[in-house]
Amino acid sequence: MGIFSEKLDMEKLHEGILDVLSDGIYVTDAKGKTLAVNQMYEKLTGLKREEILGKLVTDLRNQGNFDVVLNPEIVSTGQKKSSVQVTKEGRRVILNGCPVFDESGKVVLVVTFVRDITLLSQLQDQISSQQEVIDKYREVQNRDKMKRQNGAVIFESQEMVQLMSVLDKVAKTDATVLLLGETGVGKDVFSRLLHERSLRHDEPFFKVDCSAIPESLIESELFGYEAGAFSGANTKGKPGLFEMADKGTLFLDEIGELPLLMQSKLLRALQDQELIRVGSTKVRKFDVRFIAATNKDLDEEVKNGRFRSDLFYRLRVAVLQIPPLRERQGDILPLTCLFFEKYNAKYRKEVDFTKEFCNAFQNYKWPGNVREMDNFIQSLIVTRDKEILDVSDLPHYMLCDDININRSSMSVENRSLEELMSDYEKNLLKNALEVNGSVAKVAKLFKVDRTTIFRKAKKYSLL
């Protein structure tokens, strides 16, 4: 009697353990006989213990209790198997069957974990709907890499020192900031600096490129939308960037590309710090510091009716005009060293450059500004298999920047093609000799004999 009682208690214990598990559990022996199921299995499938215990899974399938069984294949192969099963009540569940072996390696039990496919689908929908939010929020963790070891951004020219002084003052306020400057000057960098040096530095920072979002999607991206607001909308709706940036900073890059209708809605959002999601009538409050940037002349855009004057005045609270790289020579060498260090570390190289190479960088006008330099140095380090880069590694156009060959600066009136080409050749050689310092290096650069360079230099009285 005592042994029977002990056995009964152990069965209850095992049953209790199975019932605390969050997955449905279905246990069979090697013949497919149902030995145990837990409460979660009953809940997921609608099948009761008393209906299935002691019965073969194949019989239960033939009776229409469910359409798929895993036991026979797992016993024959000794391998795990997964499948989707539909119960007699139309419930869909995921089965993950696992074999249990005895000491001789024979399958004696099959334990099947059962999960609700509907629940998994709902979780997948939730993950999908939030993926964009997660991706954008990761920008909060991205910090500008253009920094010294002491944490200061590399700006050494007098122009940038003065600009940074103004930036520090503006950053401590909640004033809207308008960043102006050519493409590639670093407006994105300055927007992050403004955020990092503000009282909101621990809150979210989001960037939206107004030129990259289709016009039909701009409103829903900024303001968000409610469930069913339009065809293809997420079934649970989605917050917009205004809401996601709440308490933090929102950077509106290329704001000059914003359509006029959205300019009007943006103006109201800026003034009232309120929004209404697409498909909703509910007004939502938010608290965001706005930074906008453009390479366009907004004064001219306003005159031509392409940009609202009231929005322009609302944005023009604090204006930071970022000068192009060609107007701040003092930053070229520090930035060159920074990018070499950055990409040497990234590609595990130790590439350096000569003084002549650096002089060419200083003389070049950098029409693409800092972005051009960044990408160009990365390309050099990736494509050159040398430890020391010289001017011979630079494209010809970088050595001709001081030559006035464009139509706006080169007079062609009453001059023959021969005369124009002669002047071009003279200026090209003059610039190359000044940068490289010797006939031999220029000859190597242009892939000609030294005597050719020497002869032409003498012809133009350059030596």
Side-chain angles (χ1 to χ4, degrees):
M1 184 72 177
I3 296 176
F4 179 79
S5 176
E6 183 179 343
K7 180 180 178 181
L8 183 62
D9 290 341
M10 287 301 296
E11 288 178 353
K12 289 183 177 180
L13 176 62
H14 293 159
E15 185 179 301
I17 291 173
L18 292 179
D19 283 340
V20 301
L21 298 177
S22 58
D23 286 343
I25 304 294
Y26 195 116
V27 184
T28 61
D29 63 15
K31 295 180 179 179
K33 180 182 178 181
T34 305
L35 302 179
V37 296
N38 66 352
Q39 290 178 356
M40 180 55 72
Y41 178 82
E42 293 180 303
K43 181 178 179 181
L44 291 175
T45 65
L47 299 172
K48 301 300 181 183
R49 282 188 175 121
E50 55 269 22
E51 297 175 359
I52 57 180
L53 285 179
K55 296 182 180 180
L56 295 176
V57 290
T58 51
D59 291 342
L60 292 169
R61 177 192 61 194
N62 294 338
Q63 294 168 7
N65 289 282
F66 36 69
D67 64 342
V68 173
V69 294
L70 304 181
N71 181 281
E73 186 173 345
I74 293 175
V75 171
S76 64
T77 63
Q79 301 292 322
K80 296 180 180 179
K81 183 173 174 58
S82 300
S83 183
V84 175
Q85 183 188 76
V86 181
T87 69
K88 64 179 181 180
E89 296 185 0
R91 302 187 187 185
R92 293 167 58 84
V93 294
I94 294 178
L95 307 180
N96 290 298
C98 303
V100 178
F101 303 93
D102 63 12
E103 294 180 355
S104 65
K106 182 180 178 181
V107 177
V108 292
L109 295 175
V110 174
V111 179
T112 302
F113 296 86
V114 184
R115 294 178 179 173
D116 185 357
I117 195 171
T118 304
L119 177 59
L120 291 176
S121 298
Q122 290 174 349
L123 291 173
Q124 187 176 14
D125 286 344
Q126 292 176 12
I127 292 171
S128 176
S129 68
Q130 294 301 316
Q131 188 58 51
E132 187 175 357
V133 178
I134 293 170
D135 289 341
K136 291 178 179 178
Y137 191 78
R138 282 174 180 164
E139 292 189 31
V140 177
Q141 299 175 342
N142 294 334
R143 291 295 178 254
D144 176 36
K145 295 181 180 180
M146 293 176 52
K147 294 186 178 183
R148 297 176 186 267
Q149 291 182 348
N150 64 2
V153 177
I154 293 187
F155 296 134
E156 293 189 359
S157 65
Q158 188 61 37
E159 296 85 355
M160 295 306 290
V161 170
Q162 293 175 356
L163 184 63
M164 289 302 296
S165 175
V166 177
L167 182 143
D168 283 334
K169 295 175 183 177
V170 172
K172 294 178 175 61
T173 73
D174 260 354
T176 301
V177 181
L178 180 60
L179 301 174
L180 302 176
E182 296 178 3
T183 297
V185 293
K187 295 186 287 291
D188 180 73
V189 173
F190 279 84
S191 70
R192 292 179 185 276
L193 285 174
L194 283 162
H195 175 71
E196 291 168 1
R197 301 186 182 190
S198 73
L199 299 178
R200 298 173 182 256
H201 60 87
D202 289 329
E203 301 297 337
F205 173 91
F206 288 103
K207 171 188 173 181
V208 55
D209 187 342
C210 299
S211 66
I213 304 175
E215 185 172 343
S216 60
L217 297 178
I218 290 179
E219 183 174 5
S220 61
E221 285 293 308
L222 293 178
F223 293 87
Y225 59 81
E226 291 297 320
F230 51 85
S231 177
N234 188 282
T235 55
K236 296 187 178 298
K238 193 189 80 166
L241 286 164
F242 289 159
E243 289 180 76
M244 290 191 288
D246 189 40
K247 302 294 189 296
T249 303
L250 182 61
F251 174 42
L252 300 169
D253 197 12
E254 303 296 349
I255 197 168
E257 304 294 335
L258 207 61
L260 281 169
L261 178 61
M262 278 308 304
Q263 291 178 26
S264 175
K265 294 183 178 182
L266 174 61
L267 176 62
R268 289 197 298 271
L270 279 167
Q271 291 178 159
D272 304 332
Q273 296 274 296
E274 293 179 346
L275 64 88
I276 299 177
R277 287 186 180 184
V278 176
S280 174
T281 57
K282 178 182 177 182
V283 175
R284 299 169 185 263
K285 299 287 292 184
F286 64 91
D287 175 18
V288 170
R289 199 260 181 94
F290 287 93
I291 301 173
T294 182
N295 58 9
K296 288 189 172 183
D297 184 340
L298 289 187
D299 278 309
E300 192 66 27
E301 293 294 296
V302 169
K303 291 176 184 177
N304 293 328
R306 292 189 293 265
F307 201 84
R308 291 180 62 101
S309 59
D310 46 5
L311 177 58
F312 176 48
Y313 300 139
R314 182 65 182 79
L315 292 172
R316 202 176 59 179
V317 176
V319 180
L320 297 182
Q321 179 77 49
I322 306 171
L325 188 55
R326 63 182 174 274
E327 293 180 7
R328 41 187 175 107
Q329 287 282 313
D331 294 332
I332 291 178
L333 179 57
L335 285 171
T336 302
C337 294
L338 173 71
F339 291 133
F340 264 86
E341 181 180 348
K342 171 183 175 180
Y343 292 115
N344 273 328
K346 180 174 182 178
Y347 298 110
R348 298 180 181 180
K349 291 190 175 184
E350 295 183 1
V351 182
D352 205 345
F353 50 86
T354 64
K355 180 180 178 181
E356 291 77 16
F357 179 98
C358 183
N359 289 339
F361 262 43
Q362 293 278 8
N363 292 329
Y364 183 54
K365 300 305 180 185
W366 297 108
N369 294 293
V370 180
R371 184 184 296 124
E372 180 187 4
M373 179 186 285
D374 185 346
N375 293 330
F376 180 70
I377 291 176
Q378 180 180 13
S379 174
L380 284 176
I381 291 178
V382 169
T383 60
R384 300 295 193 274
D385 190 20
K386 298 171 63 175
E387 292 187 359
I388 305 293
L389 297 180
D390 200 352
V391 287
S392 60
D393 297 293
L394 298 176
H396 289 181
Y397 68 82
M398 291 192 69
L399 306 176
C400 308
D401 235 20
D402 291 331
I403 304 174
N404 299 320
I405 60 173
N406 59 67
R407 284 176 290 182
S408 62
S409 59
M410 184 174 185
S411 174
V412 298
E413 188 175 356
N414 297 324
R415 303 182 69 195
S416 68
L417 177 62
E418 183 179 358
E419 291 174 322
L420 291 170
M421 293 303 294
S422 179
D423 279 354
Y424 175 83
E425 186 178 61
K426 176 182 177 180
N427 288 326
L428 178 64
L429 283 173
K430 180 176 182 294
N431 188 67
L433 286 167
E434 290 176 352
V435 171
N436 292 273
S438 73
V439 170
K441 289 183 178 180
V442 173
K444 182 179 178 182
L445 174 66
F446 293 139
K447 297 179 175 58
V448 295
D449 294 334
R450 293 174 56 185
T451 54
T452 300
I453 299 299
F454 185 80
R455 174 172 49 80
K456 290 181 177 292
K458 293 289 287 184
K459 172 185 175 183
Y460 298 122
S461 302
L462 299 177
L463 293 177

